[in-house]
Amino acid sequence: MSGPVADVGCGSGNITALLNGLGVDAFGIDLSPAMIALARRNHPGLRFEVGSMTEPLTEPVGGIIAWWSLIHVPDDEAPAVLAHFRRALRPGGLLSLGFHVGDGTRLKTRGFGGHPMRVHVHLRPPGRVARWLREAGFTVEARWLLGEDQAVLFARCG
Ligand SMILES: C[S@@+](CC[C@H](N)C(=O)[O-])C[C@H]1O[C@@H](n2cnc3c(N)ncnc32)[C@H](O)[C@@H]1O
C-alpha cells in the first residue's frame, strides 16, 4: 500500500486498531468529537482526527476504509464524497465501503449502549453504490454480501 490508510467514520477506532495490529499504517477520522475522544482513549498511540468525509481529505493516502459511515450521508451528497476519496487516493489505491443493503432512509434513535441519538441511516442497493464508484473513476474489484442486508465493496482507482 503506497501511503497510509484512512479509516473514515472510524467511530471508536476498532478497525483502525485492527489494521495497525496487522501492520498497516492506518489513522482514523470521524465527524463526532466524542467518538474521536473515545478512540483516542481506547487506542492510545494511534492517530485519530475530527473531520467530515464531506470535506476533502487533507493528505494523500494509499487506502480508504469507510465501513458503515457513508450510510449517514444522503444520496445527493454521496457522489461528492466518493470524488473526495478518489482525489485523495494515490494511483492504484483501494477503497472499501461497508453499508446496509436496501432502499430508503431510517431514523436511528439509539446508539451503542442504548444511548439516545438521532441520525439518519441511508440504505442502498449495491448496484447503486457500484455505479457511483464507477462514475467517480473507480473499478469495483470485489463485493461481499453479508447475509441479506449488509454489503462491502472493494474498489480501486486507476
Ligand atoms: C455506525 S458507525 C461505524 C463505525 C466504524 N466504521 C465501524 O464500522 O465500526 C458510523 C460512524 O460514522 C461517523 N460519521 C457520520 N457521518 C460522518 C461524516 N460526514 N464524516 C465522518 N464520519 C462520519 C459517525 O460519527 C460514526 O462514528
Side-chain angles (χ1 to χ4, degrees):
M1 191 80 61
S2 64
V5 170
D7 178 8
V8 179
C10 63
S12 57
N14 290 344
I15 294 169
T16 320
L18 195 70
L19 289 170
N20 275 275
L22 292 169
V24 176
D25 174 18
F27 65 97
I29 301 170
D30 201 281
L31 182 63
S32 160
M35 293 312 290
I36 290 298
L38 181 63
R40 287 178 178 152
R41 198 160 59 241
N42 286 351
H43 309 290
L46 299 187
R47 177 154 67 106
F48 295 102
E49 294 164 10
V50 176
S52 176
M53 70 180 88
T54 58
E55 301 294 326
L57 271 77
T58 54
E59 64 183 83
V61 291
I64 296 175
I65 182 163
W67 278 7
W68 287 273
S69 53
L70 188 66
I71 61 171
H72 298 303
V73 175
D75 278 21
D76 60 353
E77 293 177 40
V81 170
L82 297 182
H84 290 320
F85 288 172
R86 174 74 182 75
R87 277 193 288 276
L89 278 164
R90 295 211 167 109
L94 262 182
L95 167 64
S96 180
L97 301 175
F99 54 97
H100 301 292
V101 173
D103 206 356
T105 298
R106 286 189 197 141
L107 178 64
K108 187 173 176 192
T109 54
R110 299 265 164 220
F112 289 121
H115 295 295
M117 64 190 299
R118 283 180 65 83
V119 290
H120 288 104
V121 175
H122 303 282
L123 286 67
R124 289 157 180 151
R128 181 185 305 159
V129 180
R131 175 170 53 80
W132 288 340
L133 285 165
R134 285 193 300 273
E135 288 171 356
F138 289 93
T139 302
V140 178
E141 293 199 335
R143 57 180 84 190
W144 295 341
L145 296 178
L146 311 175
E148 292 183 358
D149 59 356
Q150 316 269 337
V152 177
L153 298 186
F154 294 87
R156 195 177 293 280
C157 65

